Amino acid sequence: LDSSSIEKVEEDEENGSMLSPHDALEQIMMAASSSSSQEEGTEKNKGEEATTPPTRVLLIDTHGHPHLNRERQAEYISSSEKKVNNNNNNNLIALSCAVSQSDWITTLNYASTSKHILPGLGVHPWYLDSLSPNYLQDLDMLLKQHPNAIVGEIGLCKVAKFIRTYPDGKTAALTLQRKVFQEQLQLAAKLKRPTSVHCVKSHGVLLSILKEMKEKAKLELKEIRKKKKNGGGGGGNEINESDFVRSAFPPAIGMHSFTGTAHHVKELLAFEESLYGHDTNESSKKKKKKQQKKKDANIQQNNEAGVNEETTLIIQNKTNTNDEPSLEQPPPPPLPEQRKPQPLFYFGFSHSINVLMCSSDKSRKQTSEAIRAVPLHRVLAESDVHSHEDVAAATAGAIANIAFCMDMPIVDVAKLTARNGLLFFGSLWQSDYIIKDTGGGVVS
């Protein structure tokens, strides 16, 4: 960046205005170049035995369609930009998602051109009219042949043109959309692949499907335990219920270009908590409140009768042991620290949808509130573009919007979304990219 560009970036940040995609990209790339140069110099000073790789800021684009190779978007074209081949950009990792059965092979071919591109295979809710009867078997086969592919783009959409034009009517179209989505979601769970989900004006339907899958898993476990109890084998009570229910879902679900509200974010996170036995719905809260109220009433009644907690403890000790009671008995050993599960839901935001298509003050406010409702370790940046030349700038634009809404420095958000993106891809990654234990940076 020259001095005038740096001044413009600083002026934009001081004014609290959101940086343009290209200004954001330049700032991120400058930070990437600076951190790489500093660490390379440090390693040279350490001598030949130094093996720690340099830290780089990466752009991780967790959703786009660059394989479609369509016309570029004006917002991501700069008159001064250099010709960049994003397919071999060492600072960029991108996901290219198929939208229909007809472009699965195109997606795979495009992804094969670079180790920095991941393919996504699935059927978008807009393109169900050309679905073959054997689509699910074909998808299963291709995913098994390509272990680096996620399942996507899949989803639910009430405003899809397909819904209005389906020959059998709107109700039949919505039923088919729900069926195809659920089949693909279950396939992602079976193959343990992350999935990218399009959900527009269908959050109630999505939650209904998720709850059905949860209840189905609980019933399956109940049957397994019943068979074990009756001597039929097949597992039993040693199966952890939370782990079993969680395995009925994909390892990660990315809510793509999320257009829901902050309330929808909280609903999905509450559902995720329920998979581990943590009740967060209103009826459960009311039940717990009622139980606590009853407990408080019993304590008050005991106090009025001259029975306090200390007396109760002594009585219990006398009843349960032959030894003299002691109020100074050592506390029980602490329970082992519970394993913290990896997130199920991530929330992706793009510049092309969450900024350019959210033109009203109301929609901008809704997006901003939704972004702020997402925990930091679950937010993703997406390009959602259809040309590989737009990927870097569009992803940087998404980062700029997230940074603006969260009131965070752009480079920090770039690091954050890079880390989250790698965690979202999870098991797909081998050893090409790892997360550095200190500093939160990304190394290669």
Side-chain angles (χ1 to χ4, degrees):
L1 289 178
D2 58 28
S3 58
S4 61
S5 296
I6 293 174
E7 287 174 4
K8 184 178 184 304
V9 169
E10 292 175 345
E11 182 182 349
D12 284 343
E13 289 196 326
E14 286 175 3
N15 293 337
S17 60
M18 184 171 62
L19 295 182
S20 71
H22 275 282
D23 285 342
L25 180 60
E26 287 183 0
Q27 190 171 2
I28 292 167
M29 290 301 99
M30 182 175 67
S33 176
S34 175
S35 61
S36 180
S37 299
Q38 288 174 4
E39 295 215 6
E40 285 175 0
T42 302
E43 293 306 318
K44 288 179 181 178
N45 293 334
K46 289 180 181 177
E48 294 181 0
E49 295 184 1
T51 57
T52 305
T55 299
R56 285 193 289 122
V57 180
L58 294 180
L59 286 171
I60 307 290
D61 171 21
T62 54
H63 190 101
H65 311 282
H67 68 280
L68 296 176
N69 198 28
R70 294 178 183 168
E71 187 176 350
R72 296 191 64 184
Q73 290 181 242
E75 291 79 9
Y76 309 124
I77 301 174
S78 170
S79 58
S80 61
E81 72 177 358
K82 296 177 181 179
K83 189 75 172 178
V84 176
N85 182 358
N86 284 322
N87 293 355
N88 292 299
N89 185 343
N90 287 331
N91 292 314
L92 173 66
I93 298 169
L95 172 69
S96 193
C97 288
V99 293
S100 69
Q101 191 173 358
S102 63
D103 73 341
W104 289 348
I105 301 303
T106 305
T107 304
L108 291 170
N109 289 340
Y110 174 75
S112 70
T113 62
S114 171
K115 70 173 186 176
H116 301 114
I117 303 173
L118 288 173
L121 302 179
V123 182
H124 191 289
W126 292 3
Y127 302 103
L128 303 183
D129 48 358
S130 58
L131 209 60
S132 76
N134 298 320
Y135 93 93
L136 196 61
Q137 294 92 319
D138 294 341
L139 181 58
D140 188 319
M141 179 186 69
L142 281 176
L143 287 168
K144 287 175 179 175
Q145 291 173 356
H146 298 273
N148 67 327
I150 80 159
V151 176
E153 177 178 358
I154 66 175
L156 303 161
C157 185
K158 279 188 178 179
V159 299
K161 182 180 178 182
F162 160 78
I163 302 296
R164 302 191 302 271
T165 60
Y166 192 60
D168 295 336
K170 181 177 179 180
T171 301
L174 288 170
T175 300
L176 175 62
Q177 191 182 87
R178 178 174 178 144
K179 173 178 176 290
V180 172
F181 169 69
Q182 191 160 355
E183 287 174 343
Q184 293 180 96
L185 193 64
Q186 289 170 338
L187 180 60
K190 184 183 82 169
L191 299 181
K192 294 181 171 54
R193 305 292 176 87
T195 182
S196 187
V197 172
H198 171 115
C199 185
V200 175
K201 298 187 182 300
S202 303
H203 292 277
V205 180
L206 174 62
L207 272 173
S208 174
I209 291 171
L210 295 171
K211 289 175 181 177
E212 282 180 16
M213 292 174 66
K214 174 187 170 183
E215 292 307 312
K216 182 181 177 182
K218 291 175 75 172
L219 287 173
E220 286 177 0
L221 179 58
K222 187 176 180 180
E223 285 300 311
I224 290 172
R225 287 174 170 170
K226 185 177 179 182
K227 287 181 181 179
K228 179 68 175 178
K229 186 176 181 180
N230 295 334
N237 290 330
E238 68 275 8
I239 299 175
N240 182 281
E241 181 173 326
S242 295
D243 290 343
F244 187 88
V245 173
R246 176 64 178 83
S247 69
F249 297 87
I253 297 174
M255 301 302 295
H256 144 63
S257 286
F258 188 73
T259 54
T261 64
H263 174 70
H264 293 139
V265 171
K266 293 171 184 176
E267 278 190 325
L268 290 172
L269 295 180
F271 172 79
E272 181 178 331
E273 284 289 307
S274 76
L275 299 179
Y276 302 100
H278 305 147
D279 293 321
T280 55
N281 57 50
E282 286 302 315
S283 60
S284 297
K285 288 179 181 178
K286 288 179 180 178
K287 185 178 179 181
K288 288 181 179 179
K289 191 174 181 181
K290 187 176 181 180
Q291 291 173 341
Q292 184 62 44
K293 190 175 181 180
K294 185 177 180 181
K295 183 179 178 181
D296 292 342
N298 289 336
I299 291 173
Q300 184 178 354
Q301 186 178 358
N302 287 336
N303 288 338
E304 291 173 354
V307 181
N308 55 34
E309 289 184 2
E310 183 176 311
T311 307
T312 304
L313 178 59
I314 293 174
I315 292 171
Q316 288 174 342
N317 284 336
K318 284 185 175 179
T319 304
N320 296 330
T321 71
N322 295 322
D323 301 326
E324 286 298 315
S326 171
L327 296 178
E328 297 185 6
Q329 292 178 355
L335 294 173
E337 186 176 349
Q338 288 189 331
R339 174 172 50 86
K340 190 175 182 179
Q342 288 293 329
L344 170 59
F345 290 105
Y346 289 82
F347 298 83
F349 299 92
S350 67
H351 184 270
S352 57
I353 300 296
N354 299 110
V355 176
L356 298 182
M357 293 186 67
C358 293
S359 55
S360 70
D361 290 341
K362 181 180 178 181
S363 59
R364 289 281 179 94
K365 181 182 178 184
Q366 176 177 303
T367 298
S368 181
E369 290 174 347
I371 289 174
R372 290 197 296 272
V374 177
L376 289 179
H377 65 291
R378 296 173 183 263
V379 66
L380 302 174
E382 302 177 348
S383 71
D384 203 16
V385 293
H386 303 83
S387 168
H388 75 87
E389 293 181 271
D390 287 346
V391 172
T395 306
I399 291 170
N401 184 40
I402 295 167
F404 177 72
C405 293
M406 289 186 166
D407 194 22
M408 289 176 62
I410 283 206
V411 173
D412 287 355
V413 175
K415 290 180 180 180
L416 177 71
T417 55
R419 184 182 180 87
N420 294 347
L422 292 178
L423 290 172
F424 169 70
F425 290 137
S427 60
L428 297 179
W429 293 102
Q430 303 296 322
S431 58
D432 295 80
Y433 297 91
I434 60 171
I435 297 172
K436 193 172 184 180
D437 290 334
T438 57
V442 181
V443 301
S444 73

